[in-house]
Amino acid sequence: MLYQNAQEWIDAPHKRVLFFGMSGLGKTYLSTMLREQGDWFHYSIDYRIGTRYMDEYITDNLKTEAMKIPFLRELLLSDSIRIAPKVRFDHLTPVATYLGKPGAPDKGGVPIEEYRRRQTQFRTAETAALMDTGHFIDRAENIYGYPHFICDSGGSICEWIDPALCENDPLIAELSQHCLLVWLRGDKAHTRRLVERFDRAPKPMAYQPEFLARIWEDYLLKNSVKADDVEPDDFIRWTYAQALAHRQPLYEHMARYGVSLCAHDVAAIKTPDDFTAMIATAIDAA
């Protein structure tokens, strides 16, 4: 780990952490609290993906849809309007909309081959954004004077690691030399709430290619449907709980190179001092 014991963490003039875990367990809550109350720079992986690595894909997709409307087509061809996504820390809808949901196009779905292509684009983008962490640590300190740093990662970070490589996995090796990896983990009650929340408002997700291939074929067989007839929201609802189970051992593997905090305890953190103390306890327990 970057900090070998609790006292080293407490005394560190530069505290650097990377939060990982499923969406809804406190990553953005902690990042926002530390940014607003302390001397912490907040590096959002999802924001970096949307504004740097996938901006052109998203923009081109918007233009493709606009070109289907004669009125907008004429304005675009005459260079009379500008179309661009608006991505913010708290508004990442353009990224999710582009990623889409696989299934019947007439039901708002993306054909499975196009969906796989976009998944590959997202994997490349997220990996690149994560590998930029060291660069942003330097920027945060040298340009803005922030002593402390948070990397707020997306829930799919674990999809791109290879547990068989252990500490030689490129992502783990790169990230753990710059940050203390902090897993925000949930219990069974959190899992139920996450599934219920997702069921109410299913959102696009990124999956490991092998997992996606298996789960897609399982869904087609179980429901006796063809790819072009899949109900997009039904598929991703059906997939979500299985994705949670699929990600759990991957998160556990990543936590071997850092510490973990229970989401119940995270909810009790109200100040940067609370956070420092809880991380110190977790380091001693690791």
Side-chain angles (χ1 to χ4, degrees), residues 27-40:
K27 297 193 302 290
T28 301
Y29 162 73
L30 277 183
S31 299
T32 302
M33 182 276 292
L34 291 170
R35 184 184 74 232
E36 293 179 348
Q37 296 190 37
D39 298 325
W40 292 79

PDB file of all heavy atoms in Angstrom, residues 27-40:
ATOM      1  N   LYS A  27     -19.073   6.822  -3.220  1.00  0.00           N
ATOM      2  CA  LYS A  27     -17.856   7.365  -3.826  1.00  0.00           C
ATOM      3  C   LYS A  27     -17.977   8.866  -4.085  1.00  0.00           C
ATOM      4  O   LYS A  27     -17.114   9.649  -3.687  1.00  0.00           O
ATOM      5  CB  LYS A  27     -17.542   6.644  -5.146  1.00  0.00           C
ATOM      6  CG  LYS A  27     -17.247   5.170  -5.028  1.00  0.00           C
ATOM      7  CD  LYS A  27     -16.655   4.602  -6.297  1.00  0.00           C
ATOM      8  CE  LYS A  27     -17.541   4.786  -7.516  1.00  0.00           C
ATOM      9  NZ  LYS A  27     -18.766   3.951  -7.463  1.00  0.00           N
ATOM     10  N   THR A  28     -19.046   9.244  -4.751  1.00  0.00           N
ATOM     11  CA  THR A  28     -19.217  10.660  -5.089  1.00  0.00           C
ATOM     12  C   THR A  28     -19.557  11.484  -3.859  1.00  0.00           C
ATOM     13  O   THR A  28     -19.135  12.644  -3.744  1.00  0.00           O
ATOM     14  CB  THR A  28     -20.304  10.817  -6.172  1.00  0.00           C
ATOM     15  OG1 THR A  28     -19.895  10.077  -7.334  1.00  0.00           O
ATOM     16  CG2 THR A  28     -20.483  12.278  -6.564  1.00  0.00           C
ATOM     17  N   TYR A  29     -20.275  10.890  -2.906  1.00  0.00           N
ATOM     18  CA  TYR A  29     -20.568  11.608  -1.652  1.00  0.00           C
ATOM     19  C   TYR A  29     -19.281  11.995  -0.943  1.00  0.00           C
ATOM     20  O   TYR A  29     -19.080  13.164  -0.561  1.00  0.00           O
ATOM     21  CB  TYR A  29     -21.435  10.747  -0.725  1.00  0.00           C
ATOM     22  CG  TYR A  29     -21.406  11.210   0.711  1.00  0.00           C
ATOM     23  CD1 TYR A  29     -22.067  12.376   1.096  1.00  0.00           C
ATOM     24  CD2 TYR A  29     -20.669  10.523   1.675  1.00  0.00           C
ATOM     25  CE1 TYR A  29     -22.015  12.832   2.407  1.00  0.00           C
ATOM     26  CE2 TYR A  29     -20.610  10.966   2.983  1.00  0.00           C
ATOM     27  CZ  TYR A  29     -21.287  12.126   3.350  1.00  0.00           C
ATOM     28  OH  TYR A  29     -21.216  12.578   4.647  1.00  0.00           O
ATOM     29  N   LEU A  30     -18.388  11.025  -0.769  1.00  0.00           N
ATOM     30  CA  LEU A  30     -17.124  11.304  -0.087  1.00  0.00           C
ATOM     31  C   LEU A  30     -16.280  12.295  -0.882  1.00  0.00           C
ATOM     32  O   LEU A  30     -15.692  13.226  -0.312  1.00  0.00           O
ATOM     33  CB  LEU A  30     -16.331  10.014   0.112  1.00  0.00           C
ATOM     34  CG  LEU A  30     -16.666   9.139   1.315  1.00  0.00           C
ATOM     35  CD1 LEU A  30     -15.708   7.950   1.362  1.00  0.00           C
ATOM     36  CD2 LEU A  30     -16.601   9.930   2.613  1.00  0.00           C
ATOM     37  N   SER A  31     -16.213  12.089  -2.187  1.00  0.00           N
ATOM     38  CA  SER A  31     -15.398  12.979  -3.026  1.00  0.00           C
ATOM     39  C   SER A  31     -15.883  14.415  -2.930  1.00  0.00           C
ATOM     40  O   SER A  31     -15.085  15.354  -2.798  1.00  0.00           O
ATOM     41  CB  SER A  31     -15.453  12.509  -4.482  1.00  0.00           C
ATOM     42  OG  SER A  31     -14.946  11.205  -4.616  1.00  0.00           O
ATOM     43  N   THR A  32     -17.196  14.599  -2.989  1.00  0.00           N
ATOM     44  CA  THR A  32     -17.767  15.947  -2.928  1.00  0.00           C
ATOM     45  C   THR A  32     -17.538  16.578  -1.571  1.00  0.00           C
ATOM     46  O   THR A  32     -17.178  17.762  -1.466  1.00  0.00           O
ATOM     47  CB  THR A  32     -19.275  15.898  -3.245  1.00  0.00           C
ATOM     48  OG1 THR A  32     -19.465  15.326  -4.544  1.00  0.00           O
ATOM     49  CG2 THR A  32     -19.885  17.296  -3.222  1.00  0.00           C
ATOM     50  N   MET A  33     -17.726  15.811  -0.512  1.00  0.00           N
ATOM     51  CA  MET A  33     -17.515  16.334   0.848  1.00  0.00           C
ATOM     52  C   MET A  33     -16.069  16.782   1.038  1.00  0.00           C
ATOM     53  O   MET A  33     -15.803  17.881   1.537  1.00  0.00           O
ATOM     54  CB  MET A  33     -17.887  15.274   1.885  1.00  0.00           C
ATOM     55  CG  MET A  33     -17.743  15.720   3.343  1.00  0.00           C
ATOM     56  SD  MET A  33     -16.055  15.557   4.014  1.00  0.00           S
ATOM     57  CE  MET A  33     -15.885  13.767   4.046  1.00  0.00           C
ATOM     58  N   LEU A  34     -15.117  15.951   0.607  1.00  0.00           N
ATOM     59  CA  LEU A  34     -13.705  16.297   0.781  1.00  0.00           C
ATOM     60  C   LEU A  34     -13.338  17.510  -0.069  1.00  0.00           C
ATOM     61  O   LEU A  34     -12.588  18.388   0.370  1.00  0.00           O
ATOM     62  CB  LEU A  34     -12.827  15.108   0.416  1.00  0.00           C
ATOM     63  CG  LEU A  34     -12.890  13.911   1.376  1.00  0.00           C
ATOM     64  CD1 LEU A  34     -12.178  12.708   0.793  1.00  0.00           C
ATOM     65  CD2 LEU A  34     -12.304  14.273   2.739  1.00  0.00           C
ATOM     66  N   ARG A  35     -13.869  17.570  -1.297  1.00  0.00           N
ATOM     67  CA  ARG A  35     -13.586  18.710  -2.170  1.00  0.00           C
ATOM     68  C   ARG A  35     -14.120  20.006  -1.578  1.00  0.00           C
ATOM     69  O   ARG A  35     -13.451  21.043  -1.629  1.00  0.00           O
ATOM     70  CB  ARG A  35     -14.215  18.470  -3.546  1.00  0.00           C
ATOM     71  CG  ARG A  35     -13.900  19.573  -4.565  1.00  0.00           C
ATOM     72  CD  ARG A  35     -14.613  19.338  -5.880  1.00  0.00           C
ATOM     73  NE  ARG A  35     -16.035  19.633  -5.783  1.00  0.00           N
ATOM     74  CZ  ARG A  35     -17.008  18.795  -6.144  1.00  0.00           C
ATOM     75  NH1 ARG A  35     -16.712  17.592  -6.586  1.00  0.00           N
ATOM     76  NH2 ARG A  35     -18.267  19.150  -6.043  1.00  0.00           N
ATOM     77  N   GLU A  36     -15.323  19.957  -1.030  1.00  0.00           N
ATOM     78  CA  GLU A  36     -15.967  21.175  -0.536  1.00  0.00           C
ATOM     79  C   GLU A  36     -15.458  21.611   0.834  1.00  0.00           C
ATOM     80  O   GLU A  36     -15.469  22.802   1.143  1.00  0.00           O
ATOM     81  CB  GLU A  36     -17.481  20.973  -0.490  1.00  0.00           C
ATOM     82  CG  GLU A  36     -18.115  20.830  -1.873  1.00  0.00           C
ATOM     83  CD  GLU A  36     -19.608  20.608  -1.827  1.00  0.00           C
ATOM     84  OE1 GLU A  36     -20.134  20.331  -0.717  1.00  0.00           O
ATOM     85  OE2 GLU A  36     -20.259  20.699  -2.887  1.00  0.00           O
ATOM     86  N   GLN A  37     -14.994  20.662   1.651  1.00  0.00           N
ATOM     87  CA  GLN A  37     -14.594  21.007   3.014  1.00  0.00           C
ATOM     88  C   GLN A  37     -13.086  20.998   3.243  1.00  0.00           C
ATOM     89  O   GLN A  37     -12.615  21.534   4.251  1.00  0.00           O
ATOM     90  CB  GLN A  37     -15.248  20.047   4.018  1.00  0.00           C
ATOM     91  CG  GLN A  37     -16.764  20.126   4.073  1.00  0.00           C
ATOM     92  CD  GLN A  37     -17.312  19.337   5.241  1.00  0.00           C
ATOM     93  OE1 GLN A  37     -16.735  19.297   6.335  1.00  0.00           O
ATOM     94  NE2 GLN A  37     -18.446  18.685   5.035  1.00  0.00           N
ATOM     95  N   GLY A  38     -12.343  20.404   2.353  1.00  0.00           N
ATOM     96  CA  GLY A  38     -10.901  20.283   2.588  1.00  0.00           C
ATOM     97  C   GLY A  38     -10.083  20.678   1.389  1.00  0.00           C
ATOM     98  O   GLY A  38     -10.597  21.149   0.375  1.00  0.00           O
ATOM     99  N   ASP A  39      -8.772  20.480   1.496  1.00  0.00           N
ATOM    100  CA  ASP A  39      -7.837  20.840   0.429  1.00  0.00           C
ATOM    101  C   ASP A  39      -7.618  19.647  -0.499  1.00  0.00           C
ATOM    102  O   ASP A  39      -6.495  19.177  -0.699  1.00  0.00           O
ATOM    103  CB  ASP A  39      -6.502  21.296   1.041  1.00  0.00           C
ATOM    104  CG  ASP A  39      -6.662  22.544   1.897  1.00  0.00           C
ATOM    105  OD1 ASP A  39      -7.503  23.391   1.540  1.00  0.00           O
ATOM    106  OD2 ASP A  39      -5.951  22.657   2.908  1.00  0.00           O
ATOM    107  N   TRP A  40      -8.720  19.158  -1.053  1.00  0.00           N
ATOM    108  CA  TRP A  40      -8.688  17.963  -1.882  1.00  0.00           C
ATOM    109  C   TRP A  40      -9.066  18.298  -3.318  1.00  0.00           C
ATOM    110  O   TRP A  40     -10.064  18.958  -3.571  1.00  0.00           O
ATOM    111  CB  TRP A  40      -9.652  16.910  -1.348  1.00  0.00           C
ATOM    112  CG  TRP A  40      -9.270  16.322  -0.030  1.00  0.00           C
ATOM    113  CD1 TRP A  40      -9.439  16.875   1.207  1.00  0.00           C
ATOM    114  CD2 TRP A  40      -8.652  15.047   0.187  1.00  0.00           C
ATOM    115  NE1 TRP A  40      -8.957  16.038   2.182  1.00  0.00           N
ATOM    116  CE2 TRP A  40      -8.474  14.902   1.583  1.00  0.00           C
ATOM    117  CE3 TRP A  40      -8.233  14.017  -0.664  1.00  0.00           C
ATOM    118  CZ2 TRP A  40      -7.895  13.774   2.141  1.00  0.00           C
ATOM    119  CZ3 TRP A  40      -7.665  12.884  -0.113  1.00  0.00           C
ATOM    120  CH2 TRP A  40      -7.489  12.772   1.285  1.00  0.00           C
TER     121      TRP A  40
END
